[in-house]
Amino acid sequence: MAKKSRGMLVAIGVFKLIKCALLIAAAVGLFKLAGKDASGTVRAWLADLGLDPRNGSLSAMLGKLDGYSIGKMEALSAGAIVYAALFAVEGAGLLSGKRWAEYLTIVITLSFIPFELYELAHEVSAMKVVTLVVNVAIAAYLVMRVRQE
């Protein structure tokens, strides 16, 4: 059980670090887009990747970018960096087998579930449902693990 249990901690830690890397990439992208034609630049990036910017969710994202001021883009970028730092601490702590990281991950993960439910209540999407299910599963697993030990 201990080996399997450690494997789950490693998997959750790696998952958190991947989310950290994605948020850092998003933060850098938002920062680079501040003050520019954000949606036009992103449309060009999507075209280079062979993606259709008229796709429903991509189109909605591009529409939101058009309304963001430089200050809003910079604030979103800073928020993404802070959130990425939390994921980095969680992931590194879990990979190191630190008990505090398990508690920290439980608290942070559970604290975001009300926001995820709020978002899901406004607009249901497969990604939002998957995110909620994964986060509930991670929190439930860690709570059970902490209670067993």
Side-chain angles (χ1 to χ4, degrees):
M1 170 97 172
K3 199 165 204 170
K4 179 182 178 189
S5 186
R6 177 77 182 128
M8 279 299 276
L9 282 183
V10 169
I12 295 168
V14 168
F15 176 66
K16 295 290 184 172
L17 292 176
I18 289 169
K19 288 169 65 171
C20 170
L22 291 173
L23 278 170
I24 290 171
V28 169
L30 284 168
F31 190 74
K32 284 187 169 200
L33 291 172
K36 298 180 181 170
D37 173 21
S39 63
T41 303
V42 173
R43 282 180 210 287
W45 290 346
L46 292 172
D48 289 345
L49 294 172
L51 299 172
D52 182 9
R54 294 170 296 183
N55 171 296
S57 57
L58 293 175
S59 181
M61 178 195 68
L62 292 171
K64 288 180 182 179
L65 281 176
D66 284 334
Y68 290 165
S69 66
I70 294 172
K72 175 106 177 185
M73 297 279 270
E74 290 172 345
L76 287 171
S77 181
I81 291 292
V82 169
Y83 202 18
L86 284 174
F87 281 142
V89 171
E90 286 178 283
L94 290 170
L95 289 175
S96 299
K98 303 296 184 187
R99 174 64 67 178
W100 59 260
E102 294 176 46
Y103 285 105
L104 179 67
T105 302
I106 290 167
V107 170
I108 291 174
T109 302
L110 289 176
S111 71
F112 281 99
I113 288 176
F115 298 106
E116 293 169 5
L117 288 170
Y118 176 82
E119 283 296 317
L120 197 55
H122 284 310
E123 182 183 347
V124 176
S125 74
M127 182 61 94
K128 289 178 183 179
V129 171
V130 168
T131 299
L132 178 63
V133 168
V134 167
N135 284 334
V136 167
I138 286 171
Y141 169 77
L142 290 173
V143 166
M144 286 188 299
R145 178 182 162 81
V146 165
R147 291 187 76 196
Q148 284 177 351
E149 296 179 13

